[in-house]
């Protein structure tokens, strides 16, 4: 029973928050490290006991924006709520099952919804469960939104509240948590009127009343802000110039030869720029060669942007070029720059090439670049000539302050890997342990046969290694991207270094909150060659502190706030019919609900699956499910034709739906189908969203999709495909040889399904697709 469980020790302000959350929807605004997750754990426990007494069977849903944060918060809930376990073993009393759903590596979404009382998941997966009617909002008793400031535009939190919460006749209780309710506090001076306006908007979107209290400084460690100046090199180093020339010389017309003579790049062993031979000219049209050169130029530009035009120094520039050599591994026939933003499964740019002639030319370019890099002979990272002033300042700061555990934030994924490599080589191996972390996905300059990625297993290993105890005289450094900004708890972290600057006040406040130890430091690197940079940085710090004080002043007095009156369920349901597709079962029961903002994602799922894994350990397969091989893309220029083409609105969109493979046949003459209508929109995006929604509605009408927006027959077809790919025939020796080659993608798949994007295709999908989650 409840009396048998030891009570969780709560501070006074935490107890007050739990009492308020039991009476109404609440937005808890407290600084980082103040124990907001403990508050949510106690509130969840109270609701679990109440629902257990009612016998309602309703769920508790805890949403965290990111896999790592979801995993951490699930562990906290399990520790704080005694009867809550993944596999309950209690004989007497209440015992609830916890379900952690975080994507490919977690519990299956359908199984979790069916068998768990408490679900901890990312908002992408909760929205997926709602869209496909695996779970209805009426079946949720308490909805907890961690990092609730993610409530703008078409963010997942926003669509969940707008399309599923507001139209719900029996709405769940809402508990929202945030440390930074004002988005751009670092840009504007603290102002009570602005604060009240932004807070009221957030309260309205969440249907919550904001609540806060003054937290004693002795309870919550606050990182001390500090500025770390660095100089700027007068000109790029000789090594940077040499790498740039080597990258450009690979395909230039010979005009750079004289300059290379001066740099000493010509000599024995250098073959000269890779020319397009007459045989290649015959196999490739001129426009294809130019497209390939343009793609190469994009890769070179990416190296320049990652290294900040030399800001990371010659060592990083040289190794970024080596990454490009590695990416263009043997057999690469198409070239595509790899997106560098640290988002979950970023959108892919179109690949240029695909033929044997393209493969021959790329192979020549790769060998040419490799020979030139070998001639340059990069000095070691310990040589000051190989580093930029910014990197030298960072290394010197680490050696002088010697933090026990330090997090270094950097924006781009490839830059994260390069900075990790530099620090690993520049710092004393006997004293320093350096690891790195980013979101799962590719970490490369270009997509090719040699491109490498970063996995969930690598992420978990890096975070576990950083959280572990450091030995005597040992220091740990974790280089990471924004994936660790929000909520990650490492109590012994005593230093956070913002290498390239947070773009918003919320991100800066979250980064600062990762420094959890007493007397920890938050270090912001600034360019001292810019006279106004220090003044701007100091002003940012002062503004943030002013906004924090204003938050406590406005909310910490104990006055009971009333949120704006929410939209009625009837009015929200009427609005929903205009902006979403509400499917019904044959017997009239309501089923799936698809917001218009997610229609293009669903069309991409129908026509292509970029994350199909045939067997455990196999690489991912890109499949094209269009019957005519037209390679569906959710961007303009593929199946979407926005009119008028001169770019002057209003706009309308024409959508062509090709035939689709691996599903139940839709019937003779129903696909392909061109849909055109006269509805006009002020933006191209609005026109494409409307076209996508009507396309989904048509696929629903002809039976390609069922009432749960599932692709009819797709699961069975993919299961058969996996069976074909995993089937072993012939001798044991041949099977071992086949496994050793690790080419399961090519060995058994029908040729018509292998995806080769045309040269004029554009990137497809949204940057934050999390991929399949059901078992």
């Amino acid at each position: 029973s409840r009396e048998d469980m030891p009570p969780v020790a709560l501070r006074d302000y935490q107890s007050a928050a739990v009492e308020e959350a039991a009476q109404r929807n609440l937005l808890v605004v407290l600084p980082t490290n103040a124990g907001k997750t403990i508050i949510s754990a106690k509130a969840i426990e109270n609701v679990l006991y109440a629902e257990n007494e009612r016998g309602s069977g309703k769920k508790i849903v805890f949403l965290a924006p990111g896999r790592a944060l979801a995993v951490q918060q699930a562990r906290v809930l399990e520790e704080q709520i005694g009867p809550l376990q993944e596999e309950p073993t209690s004989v007497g009393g209440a015992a609830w099952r916890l379900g952690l759903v975080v994507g490919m590596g977690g519990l299956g979404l359908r199984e979790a919804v069916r068998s768990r009382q408490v679900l901890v998941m990312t908002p992408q997966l909760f929205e997926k469960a709602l869209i496909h009617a695996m779970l209805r909002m009426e079946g949720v008793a308490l909805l907890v939104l961690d990092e609730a400031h993610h409530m703008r535009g078409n963010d997942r939190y926003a669509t969940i509240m707008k399309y599923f919460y507001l139209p719900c006749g029996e709405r769940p209780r809402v508990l929202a948590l945030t440390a930074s309710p004002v988005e751009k506090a670092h840009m504007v001076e603290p102002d009570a009127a602005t604060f009240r306006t932004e807070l009221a908007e957030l309260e309205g979107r969440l249907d919550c009343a904001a609540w806060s209290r003054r937290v004693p400084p002795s309870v919550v460690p606050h990182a001390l802000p500090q500025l770390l100046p660095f100089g700027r090199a007068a000109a790029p180093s000789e090594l940077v110039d040499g790498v740039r020339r080597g990258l450009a010389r690979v395909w230039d017309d010979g005009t750079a030869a004289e300059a290379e003579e001066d740099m000493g790049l010509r000599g024995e062993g250098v073959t000269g720029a890779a020319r397009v031979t007459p045989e290649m000219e015959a196999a490739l049209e001129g426009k294809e060669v130019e497209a390939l050169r343009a793609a190469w130029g994009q890769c070179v530009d990416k190296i320049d942007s990652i290294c900040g035009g030399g800001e990371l120094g010659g060592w990083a520039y040289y190794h970024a070029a080596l990454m490009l050599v590695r990416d263009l591994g043997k057999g690469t026939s198409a070239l595509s720059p790899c997106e560098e933003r640290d988002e979950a499964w970023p959108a892919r740019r179109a690949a240029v090439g695909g033929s044997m002639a393209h493969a021959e030319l790329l192979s020549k370019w790769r060998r040419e670049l490799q020979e030139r890099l070998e001639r340059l002979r990069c000095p070691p990272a310990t040589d000051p000539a190989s580093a930029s002033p910014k990197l030298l300042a960072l290394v010197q700061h680490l050696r002088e302050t010697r933090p026990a555990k330090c997090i270094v934030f950097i924006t781009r994924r490839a830059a994260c890997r390069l900075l990790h490599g530099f620090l690993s080589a520049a710092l004393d191996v006997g004293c320093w342990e350096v690891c790195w972390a980013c979101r799962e996905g590719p970490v490369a300059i270009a997509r090719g046969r040699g491109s490498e990625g970063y996995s969930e297993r690598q992420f978990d290993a890096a975070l576990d290694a950083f959280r572990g105890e450091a030995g005597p005289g040992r220091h740990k450094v974790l280089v990471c991207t924004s994936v660790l900004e929000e909520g990650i708890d490492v109590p012994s972290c005593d230093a956070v270094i913002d290498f390239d600057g947070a773009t918003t006040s919320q991100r800066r406040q979250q980064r600062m909150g990762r420094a959890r130890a007493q007397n920890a430091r938050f270090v912001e690197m600034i360019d001292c060659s810019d006279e106004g940079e220090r003044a701007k940085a100091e002003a940012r710090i002062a503004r943030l502190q002013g906004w924090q004080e204003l938050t406590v002043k406005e909310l910490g007095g104990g006055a009971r706030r009333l949120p704006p009156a929410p939209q009625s369920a009837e009015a929200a349901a009427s609005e929903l019919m205009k902006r979403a597709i509400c499917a019904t079962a044959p017997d009239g029961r309501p089923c799936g609900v698809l917001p218009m903002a997610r229609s293009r994602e669903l069309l991409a799922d129908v026509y292509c699956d970029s994350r199909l894994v045939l067997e455990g350990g196999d690489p991912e397969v890109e499949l094209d499910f269009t019957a005519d091989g037209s390679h569906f893309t959710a961007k303009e220029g593929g199946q979407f034709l926005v009119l008028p083409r001169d770019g002057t609105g209003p706009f309308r969109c024409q959508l062509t739906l090709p035939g689709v493979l691996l599903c139940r046949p839709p019937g003779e003459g129903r696909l392909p189908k061109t849909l055109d209508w006269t509805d006009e929109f002020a933006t191209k995006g609005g026109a494409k969203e409307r076209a996508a929604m009507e396309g989904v509605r048509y696929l629903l009408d002809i039976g390609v999709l069922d009432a749960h927006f599932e692709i009819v027959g797709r699961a069975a077809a993919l299961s058969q495909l996996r069976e074909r790919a995993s089937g072993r025939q012939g001798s044991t020796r041949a099977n071992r040889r086949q496994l050793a080659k690790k080419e399961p993608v090519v060995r058994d798949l029908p040729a018509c399904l292998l995806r080769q994007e045309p040269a004029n295709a554009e990137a497809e999908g949204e940057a934050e697709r999390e991929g399949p989650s059901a078992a």
Side-chain angles (χ1 to χ4, degrees), residues 57-59 87 97-99 101 107-119 121 129 133-136 775:
K58 289 189 175 183
K59 311 285 185 183
E87 298 296 337
R97 299 186 75 187
L98 171 71
V101 192
L107 181 68
L109 183 56
R110 291 185 185 278
E111 172 63 19
V113 170
R114 184 189 65 81
S115 62
R116 266 54 172 177
Q117 286 79 25
V118 179
L119 301 172
M121 62 178 75
M134 303 177 199
L135 177 67
R136 301 190 65 81

Side-chain angles (χ1 to χ4, degrees), residues 384-662:
S386 68
S388 66
K390 188 173 185 178
L391 284 181
L392 292 175
L394 173 62
V395 172
Q396 181 179 355
H397 177 80
L398 290 173
R399 287 172 174 165
E400 290 177 351
T401 58
R402 305 185 75 81
K405 292 184 180 180
C406 174
I407 298 176
V408 181
F409 281 107
I410 192 167
T411 301
R412 291 187 169 100
R413 303 158 67 89
C416 178
R417 179 172 187 161
L418 291 169
L419 183 56
H420 163 260
F422 178 84
L423 292 179
S424 299
L427 295 171
D428 185 4
V429 177
C431 298
W432 297 88
E433 180 182 336
V434 186
C435 48
W436 67 295
C438 65
R439 282 187 176 88
E440 63 174 87
V443 182
I445 304 298
R447 295 182 183 272
R449 289 290 185 90
S451 298
E452 297 180 358
Y454 195 83
S455 66
E456 291 180 355
R457 183 176 299 178
Q458 288 175 285
F459 178 90
D460 293 340
L463 194 54
D464 290 343
F466 184 68
R467 281 174 166 159
E469 291 296 327
R474 303 272 303 173
H475 310 274
K476 293 190 176 185
V477 177
L478 175 63
V479 183
C480 67
T481 58
S482 59
V483 67
L484 290 181
E485 281 179 351
E486 292 183 319
I488 299 301
D489 185 10
V490 183
S492 55
C493 178
D494 57 350
V496 171
I497 299 177
D498 197 356
F499 187 79
D500 50 9
T503 55
T504 68
S505 60
Q506 290 170 338
R507 296 186 67 177
R508 188 180 188 281
Q509 193 168 348
Q510 293 293 341
R511 290 183 178 187
M512 185 182 296
R514 297 317 105 220
R516 299 265 174 149
Q518 290 288 347
N519 301 319
R521 298 181 304 278
F522 176 76
V523 180
E524 183 177 354
M525 301 194 72
I526 61 168
D527 182 4
C528 64
S529 62
D530 185 345
E531 296 181 358
E533 189 63 28
R534 177 180 287 274
K536 293 178 183 177
E538 292 173 346
R540 283 197 300 270
I541 294 173
R543 282 194 291 266
L544 281 175
Q545 292 174 340
W547 279 107
Q548 291 171 357
E549 293 171 0
L550 181 61
T551 300
V552 174
K553 180 180 178 181
E554 290 288 322
L555 298 177
R560 190 180 179 89
R561 290 178 58 86
L562 295 177
Q567 189 179 25
S568 68
E570 294 77 13
S574 176
E575 183 69 21
L576 178 68
M577 300 301 294
K578 304 175 185 177
R579 304 280 299 176
I581 304 175
C582 301
T584 56
D587 60 2
R589 291 181 296 104
C591 287
V593 176
L594 180 70
M596 185 166 67
R598 303 294 177 242
S599 298
R600 281 189 281 176
E601 285 186 20
L602 184 57
L603 284 179
D605 287 340
V606 171
Y607 286 105
C608 60
D609 186 339
S610 61
R611 295 197 65 190
L612 175 65
V613 179
L614 298 177
E615 300 179 69
D618 282 352
E620 292 174 358
V621 189
E622 286 190 48
L623 299 183
D624 180 15
F625 295 141
T626 57
D628 57 1
S630 56
H631 313 291
F632 187 87
T633 170
K635 294 288 186 177
E636 183 183 355
Q639 281 72 19
F640 290 83
L641 176 61
V642 179
L643 302 171
R645 295 190 176 187
D646 59 5
T648 58
F651 302 97
R652 62 187 181 89
C653 183
Q654 183 183 92
L655 172 62
T656 300
L657 294 175
V660 58
L661 300 173
L662 295 190

Side-chain angles (χ1 to χ4, degrees), residues 207-399:
D207 188 24
C208 289
W211 180 97
S212 185
R213 289 291 184 272
R214 186 178 296 276
V215 180
S218 58
V219 172
V220 181
H222 291 280
L224 304 175
Q226 178 181 341
L227 299 179
L228 177 60
F230 64 91
R232 185 172 292 277
S237 68
E238 186 175 307
L239 182 59
V240 171
D241 281 336
V243 175
R244 284 176 173 170
R245 284 185 170 86
L247 289 165
R249 180 60 179 155
V250 164
W251 56 268
D252 72 9
D253 56 5
T255 56
E258 184 177 346
E260 287 197 1
E261 294 275 4
D262 296 338
M263 290 296 298
L265 294 179
R266 281 225 180 257
E268 185 179 354
V270 178
T271 60
R275 300 287 186 260
V276 181
T277 65
E279 293 78 14
M280 291 182 196
E281 287 283 7
L284 299 174
E285 296 180 4
K287 63 174 64 176
E288 292 182 350
V289 175
E290 289 306 316
L292 202 59
R293 285 179 172 177
W296 181 269
Q298 291 173 351
C299 294
V300 174
D301 291 342
K302 181 183 176 181
I303 291 176
D304 200 61
S305 64
I306 287 173
C307 297
E311 188 177 77
L312 290 182
W315 189 96
Y317 229 96
Y318 182 89
H319 284 80
L322 282 180
M323 286 177 64
L324 179 57
V325 172
R326 180 208 65 204
D327 297 339
L328 302 178
K330 184 178 180 181
T332 299
S333 61
L335 182 62
S336 170
C338 184
E339 296 297 329
E340 66 269 12
R341 294 176 299 174
D342 186 49
E343 296 170 341
W345 297 100
R348 299 187 175 193
R349 294 188 184 181
V352 178
S355 68
M356 292 300 296
H358 288 101
E360 185 179 352
L361 186 56
L362 285 173
S363 179
K364 287 180 176 290
W365 288 358
R366 177 181 180 274
R367 289 197 303 270
E368 170 71 12
L369 178 58
Q370 187 171 12
E371 289 175 353
R372 292 176 179 277
L373 292 176
E374 289 173 356
R375 291 278 297 173
L376 283 172
R377 296 188 182 92
C378 177
T382 52
D383 187 343
S386 68
S388 66
K390 188 173 185 178
L391 284 181
L392 292 175
L394 173 62
V395 172
Q396 181 179 355
H397 177 80
L398 290 173
R399 287 172 174 165

